Amino acid sequence: MEGLIFGSLEELPSVVEKLRPHRVVILTNTTLERLWLGKVMELVGGEAIVIPDGEEHKRLETAVNVWNMLVDMGFTRRSLLVGLGGGVVTDLAGFIASTYMRGTMLGLVPTTLLAQVDAAIGGKTGVNFRGKNMIGTFYLPDFVLIAHETLSTLPGEEVLNGLGEVAKYAVLKGKIYGMVRKFPGMTPELVRECALFKAKVVEEDFMEAGKRRILNLGHTTAHAIEKLSDYRIKHGLAVAMGLMVAAKVGEHLYGFDAGKVEELLNAFGLPTRHPFEAGEIVREMRLDKKAWRGRLVFVVPEDIGKVHVEEVGEEVVKRALEETA
Ligand code: NAD
Ligand code: MG
């Protein structure tokens, strides 16, 4: 992906300068306003639009408010919208920039681990509407600046949330697995490797017709667990539980050593067991919007760095779910 930059906020002025925008507007939320907006505005100037914090604000009404403010400010296609925040802000900023006047310049400065390795990479934007991310676009930003220092203020539970996706990448790519085995923590090198890996997979399959689906490793189960918990179990933790289930499926189908995934999750302090019954999870899986005609499609590891995307029989899935309860 073009425009993926690793460094610090200090790179912002030169990155923005290159785009020669007529004006710059920073979209952020109340939490980031307190922590990092001052620094960012000091570096690039411009104006700020601050939305309330929370997933419940990732919706059309918020986009409408922001569109209104942009019109009032005289924002044009030659202006730059910069999304400063976690995945909620970067998804919204992308959606707003992609639709306003058929597309404006867009920069993202993701500030959660999850957004740095996942949400801000790959050009999917969206808002929640009758379901998660039901309205959205594919729109690549002009730049994504991954500024490691912004993670210094991230609460522990948000770090853990991001590590769920990092653990997924470790199963998908041997190099990342090796890094995590050496040091199971959030280093700039690890963030960089994960972000680059996702960018590369997405580049090969922008519209999600094939290879991008490997990024759903652990997610068939994770989505069901999140739903069943009424979203009280955070995405990254549900992904960890889902990885363990996928590992067990891989063990049954290909002789994969599920212990490798268990060790990885333990090293991160992520859960390896889910709190639901196999039957109710399977029922929920079949209802998922991504489950084609209710089929149980899994990304199944055969080894670290080698996965298959395939339909798995219910008996195998149930067995894996029972072993990880
Ligand atoms: P989030 O944006 O809600 O951020 C989590 C919390 O951390 C928020 O309270 C936020 O204000 C706070 N925060 C952010 N940065 C901080 C910092 N540096 N210091 C202190 N607090 C900080 O959640 P998230 O986990 O970053 O992202 C989840 C969203 O991302 C979901 O809406 C999900 O659908 C979306 N997502 C999108 C994609 C995609 O491909 N577009 C992929 C994965 C997830
Ligand atoms: Mg995910």
Side-chain angles (χ1 to χ4, degrees), residues 151 153-163 234 237:
L151 300 182
T153 55
L154 200 60
E157 63 173 304
E158 295 300 337
V159 174
L160 208 55
N161 193 41
L163 287 175
K234 284 174 82 78
L237 302 198

Side-chain angles (χ1 to χ4, degrees), residues 2-3 5 12 15-16 19 21 23-28 40 75 79-85 89-94 97-98 104-110 120 139-146:
E2 255 178 28
I5 302 144
L12 257 182
V15 170
V16 169
L19 297 171
R23 65 197 309 161
V24 180
V25 171
I26 322 275
L27 179 70
T28 192
V40 167
F75 197 85
S79 309
L80 170 67
L81 186 68
V82 178
L84 170 72
V89 168
T90 57
D91 271 15
L92 252 176
S98 71
T104 76
M105 285 194 271
L106 169 68
L108 298 179
V109 183
Y139 195 69
L140 279 180
D142 295 284
F143 70 82
V144 180
L145 174 62
I146 303 205

Side-chain angles (χ1 to χ4, degrees), residues 117-192:
V117 300
D118 192 357
I121 314 286
K124 279 191 188 177
T125 87
V127 293
N128 302 325
F129 180 82
R130 313 242 336 237
K132 259 193 78 66
N133 303 318
M134 285 289 280
I135 303 287
T137 58
F138 285 95
Y139 195 69
L140 279 180
D142 295 284
F143 70 82
V144 180
L145 174 62
I146 303 205
H148 197 75
E149 75 266 37
T150 60
L151 300 182
S152 65
T153 55
L154 200 60
E157 63 173 304
E158 295 300 337
V159 174
L160 208 55
N161 193 41
L163 287 175
E165 296 289 352
V166 172
K168 174 188 83 178
Y169 295 130
V171 179
L172 292 173
K173 192 169 160 86
K175 182 172 178 190
I176 297 174
Y177 179 77
M179 291 173 92
V180 170
R181 284 293 304 255
K182 249 198 190 151
F183 181 75
M186 181 180 69
T187 63
E189 295 72 32
L190 181 61
V191 171
R192 179 164 198 262

Side-chain angles (χ1 to χ4, degrees), residues 2-281:
E2 255 178 28
L4 190 50
I5 302 144
F6 299 89
S8 88
L9 291 174
E10 306 289 336
E11 331 268 336
L12 257 182
S14 70
V15 170
V16 169
E17 178 66 21
K18 276 198 200 102
L19 297 171
R20 307 220 159 277
H22 289 181
R23 65 197 309 161
V24 180
V25 171
I26 322 275
L27 179 70
T28 192
N29 72 16
T30 46
T31 302
L32 274 302
E33 177 186 35
R34 192 160 44 75
L35 296 169
W36 294 101
L37 181 64
K39 174 88 190 170
V40 167
M41 304 245 335
E42 192 182 294
L43 286 164
V44 294
E47 294 144 283
I49 295 178
V50 181
I51 62 173
D53 191 353
E55 177 78 30
E56 68 274 23
H57 298 287
K58 198 178 111 173
R59 56 183 164 131
L60 278 175
E61 288 82 350
T62 310
V64 170
N65 290 340
V66 176
W67 284 324
N68 267 315
M69 287 187 249
L70 293 176
V71 174
D72 291 341
M73 286 172 169
F75 197 85
T76 71
R77 306 177 62 172
R78 296 289 310 148
S79 309
L80 170 67
L81 186 68
V82 178
L84 170 72
V88 166
V89 168
T90 57
D91 271 15
L92 252 176
F95 178 68
I96 290 164
S98 71
T99 46
Y100 185 86
M101 292 189 175
R102 302 197 177 88
T104 76
M105 285 194 271
L106 169 68
L108 298 179
V109 183
T111 60
T112 61
L113 177 60
L114 186 113
Q116 293 194 350
V117 300
D118 192 357
I121 314 286
K124 279 191 188 177
T125 87
V127 293
N128 302 325
F129 180 82
R130 313 242 336 237
K132 259 193 78 66
N133 303 318
M134 285 289 280
I135 303 287
T137 58
F138 285 95
Y139 195 69
L140 279 180
D142 295 284
F143 70 82
V144 180
L145 174 62
I146 303 205
H148 197 75
E149 75 266 37
T150 60
L151 300 182
S152 65
T153 55
L154 200 60
E157 63 173 304
E158 295 300 337
V159 174
L160 208 55
N161 193 41
L163 287 175
E165 296 289 352
V166 172
K168 174 188 83 178
Y169 295 130
V171 179
L172 292 173
K173 192 169 160 86
K175 182 172 178 190
I176 297 174
Y177 179 77
M179 291 173 92
V180 170
R181 284 293 304 255
K182 249 198 190 151
F183 181 75
M186 181 180 69
T187 63
E189 295 72 32
L190 181 61
V191 171
R192 179 164 198 262
E193 215 52 55
C194 291
L196 285 173
F197 175 70
K198 177 167 181 190
K200 184 157 179 294
V201 172
V202 169
E203 198 169 83
E204 288 169 29
D205 176 25
F206 188 49
M207 300 297 277
E208 203 163 17
K211 188 168 179 199
R212 194 170 183 161
R213 292 185 305 170
I214 67 167
L215 300 174
N216 282 328
L217 175 63
H219 283 60
T220 313
T221 310
H223 289 148
I225 288 175
E226 285 179 272
K227 266 261 188 72
L228 286 171
S229 77
D230 253 327
Y231 293 92
R232 269 186 285 271
I233 297 180
K234 284 174 82 78
H235 181 70
L237 302 198
V239 168
M241 298 170 191
L243 286 175
M244 203 55 230
V245 176
K248 282 289 180 188
V249 171
E251 189 165 275
H252 299 317
L253 296 182
Y254 299 105
F256 174 63
D257 177 6
K260 286 184 176 167
V261 171
E262 186 150 14
E263 278 171 27
L264 197 73
L265 297 174
N266 282 331
F268 277 153
L270 283 163
T272 57
R273 296 288 178 263
H274 65 79
F276 298 106
E277 255 177 79
E280 53 180 349
I281 295 183

